[in-house]
């Protein structure tokens, strides 16, 4: 028994879990992307990152987004703006299948985040039983959700700072933590190295190895499919293949280029 999470199912099969970044507060955009992938010959997306840190999404959008994403067979993972207890609680009560917190700097940060995500006695999550199950098809409020939330919901932290990198081996060992996700752009800026340079690559490998050594899953933000494939070949378990805005912009530019008889310029993006 448990909550049926597409992301956990994908990871349990020891396959790679592919997702994308949702930055606009639009359930139709999320549905369109998920359905397009499901109708194609490729493996469907198993997770969607709902970006409430840098994107246009706020917690008033969570309910509609988690409902839409879960209904299409993927796991909505909400990236909250910061590792605040009330932010994590509202995201979980809105139906998130997992939480991603930015800038995990220390073991103390990681332990606190886990505590905020778990019900007592393991943690201190407040009890709001009526709100979350809408994003878990077939699950009713009460024991069907309550009894499995702690074990099934994903707790994810971003390693993207100098202190986080220096403490990553100990952070990875924190009980209740499921995934370490690398924010590669912030990581490069925070440790003062060139993005894509040798020191940056070494830092990424250190985080990857720390996650693996602790039996945790390793994830990384990617700007396109080619980069995502390269990281899966390095051993990453979860990769984002693009962002909604990046994909929409690239597709429009490519079609416009074709209409004008020009060659499409598919240069890698330098960010979202």
């Amino acid at each position: 028994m448990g909550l049926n999470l597409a992301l956990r199912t994908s990871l349990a099969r020891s396959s790679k879990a592919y997702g994308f970044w949702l930055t606009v507060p639009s359930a139709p955009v999320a549905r369109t992307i998920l359905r397009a992938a499901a109708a194609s010959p490729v493996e469907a997306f198993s997770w969607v990152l709902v970006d409430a840190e840098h994107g246009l999404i706020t917690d008033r959008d969570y309910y509609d987004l988690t409902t839409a994403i879960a209904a299409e067979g993927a796991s909505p993972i909400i990236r909250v703006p910061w590792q605040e207890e009330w932010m994590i609680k509202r995201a979980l009560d809105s139906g998130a299948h997992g939480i991603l917190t930015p800038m995990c700097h220390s073991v103390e940060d990681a332990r606190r985040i886990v505590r905020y995500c778990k019900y007592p006695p393991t943690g201190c999550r407040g009890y709001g039983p009526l709100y979350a199950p809408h994003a878990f098809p077939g699950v009713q409020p009460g024991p069907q959700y309550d009894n499995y939330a702690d074990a099934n919901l994903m707790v994810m932290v971003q390693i993207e700072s100098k202190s986080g990198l220096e403490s990553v081996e100990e952070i990875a060992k924190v009980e209740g933590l499921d995934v370490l996700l690398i924010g590669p752009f912030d990581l490069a800026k925070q440790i003062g190295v060139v993005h894509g340079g040798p020191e940056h690559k070494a830092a990424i490998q250190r985080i990857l190895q720390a996650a693996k050594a602790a039996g945790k899953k390793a994830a990384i933000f990617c700007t396109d499919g080619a980069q995502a494939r390269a990281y899966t070949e390095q051993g990453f378990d979860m990769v984002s293949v693009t962002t909604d805005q990046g994909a929409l912009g690239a597709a429009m530019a490519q079609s416009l280029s074709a209409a004008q008889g020009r060659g499409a310029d598919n240069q890698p993006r330098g960010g979202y």
Side-chain angles (χ1 to χ4, degrees):
M1 292 290 293
L3 302 177
N4 184 20
L5 274 61
L7 176 54
R8 276 206 182 274
T9 300
S10 181
L11 292 172
R13 292 197 307 259
S14 298
S15 62
K16 303 302 181 183
Y18 299 96
F20 68 90
W21 237 247
L22 186 74
T23 66
V24 296
S26 172
V29 168
R31 285 183 180 274
T32 297
I33 295 172
L34 289 168
R35 289 186 181 185
S40 72
V42 302
E43 182 179 337
F45 288 113
S46 62
W47 59 282
V48 178
L49 194 289
V50 177
D51 189 3
E53 182 193 8
H54 289 305
L56 306 176
I57 295 165
T58 67
D59 65 356
R60 70 182 298 173
D61 305 306
Y62 291 170
Y63 188 96
D64 288 342
L65 295 176
T66 58
T67 302
I69 292 164
E72 298 299 328
S75 287
I77 307 297
I78 296 180
R79 178 164 74 168
V80 293
W82 193 246
Q83 47 191 263
E84 295 283 352
E85 182 176 6
W86 70 271
M87 292 181 180
I88 291 172
K89 177 172 62 177
R90 286 183 64 79
L92 289 172
D93 284 348
S94 296
H97 288 194
I99 296 296
L100 176 64
T101 58
M103 294 288 177
C104 181
H105 298 306
S106 66
V107 172
E108 290 72 23
D109 282 350
R111 288 174 178 160
R112 185 173 61 254
I113 291 161
V114 170
R115 192 164 64 250
Y116 292 163
C117 291
K118 309 290 186 182
Y119 286 129
T122 305
C124 59
R125 177 184 172 187
Y127 185 57
L130 297 179
Y131 305 105
H134 68 88
F136 298 83
V139 173
Q140 297 299 317
Q144 283 189 311
Y145 177 86
D146 303 344
N147 293 349
Y148 302 102
D150 281 3
N152 289 172
L153 301 181
M154 307 285 288
V155 182
M156 305 167 57
V157 299
Q158 283 193 239
I159 305 298
E160 51 186 347
S161 68
K162 187 174 186 294
S163 55
L165 177 63
E166 291 172 346
S167 304
V168 69
E169 288 81 11
E170 295 306 312
I171 290 172
K173 296 175 185 176
V174 170
E175 186 175 355
L177 187 62
D178 296 297
V179 180
L180 273 62
L181 184 143
I182 300 172
F185 291 96
D186 270 309
L187 179 63
K189 290 180 181 299
Q190 293 283 334
I191 65 176
V193 301
V194 176
H195 182 276
E199 294 169 302
H200 187 234
K201 291 180 179 178
I204 288 172
Q205 287 302 309
R206 178 177 175 180
I207 298 166
L208 172 62
Q209 295 308 316
K212 296 294 186 179
K216 306 299 171 63
K217 300 300 183 181
I220 190 165
F221 171 86
C222 304
T223 55
D224 57 40
Q227 187 181 73
R229 180 170 183 174
Y231 280 125
T232 61
E233 290 173 349
Q234 291 179 28
F236 280 89
D237 306 289
M238 290 175 59
V239 290
S240 61
V241 302
T242 190
T243 67
D244 51 1
Q245 293 190 64
L248 290 168
M252 286 295 188
Q254 187 173 26
S255 291
L256 179 60
S257 178
Q260 296 174 355
R262 302 167 183 265
D265 181 13
N266 293 319
Q267 293 297 318
R269 299 194 319 280
Y272 282 29

